[in-house]
Amino acid sequence: MLELSPAEFRLLHFLMTHPGRVYSRSQLLDQVWGDHVDIEERTVDVHIRRLRKALEPSAHDRLIDTVRGAGYALRAA
């Protein structure tokens, strides 16, 4: 069973519905948390790290790519 926080679930869902596209931290904050929140962009890094850790047992953590200087993407199948 995969245990995710609500934010991690929303992040995974967003990435899964937009595979192959790179999103910046700012874009992910707007799409996942909403543009009305005032939180640090590094919050995305923390949630990506937690999401990867949760996906690690099934080896699906490797599907989340860090695109240096650009953001994150879910690898398209």
Side-chain angles (χ1 to χ4, degrees):
M1 181 174 190
L2 188 62
E3 291 189 33
L4 301 174
S5 72
E8 292 160 1
F9 178 82
R10 289 191 311 270
L11 179 58
L12 179 59
H13 181 266
F14 180 77
L15 291 171
M16 287 178 68
T17 55
H18 302 88
R21 179 154 180 223
V22 178
Y23 287 92
S24 69
R25 289 180 186 96
S26 178
Q27 289 172 316
L28 289 171
L29 281 174
D30 288 349
Q31 294 295 322
V32 176
W33 282 266
D35 60 1
H36 58 280
V37 296
D38 186 30
I39 54 178
E40 296 284 325
E41 286 189 356
R42 291 295 184 178
T43 298
V44 175
D45 299 340
V46 172
H47 283 84
I48 289 286
R49 189 176 321 115
R50 290 179 183 166
L51 184 54
R52 283 180 173 147
K53 187 169 180 69
L55 295 171
E56 194 174 30
S58 64
H60 288 100
D61 59 311
R62 298 181 204 139
L63 295 177
I64 300 173
D65 288 332
T66 300
V67 181
R68 195 172 173 101
Y72 297 99
L74 186 74
R75 207 173 291 166

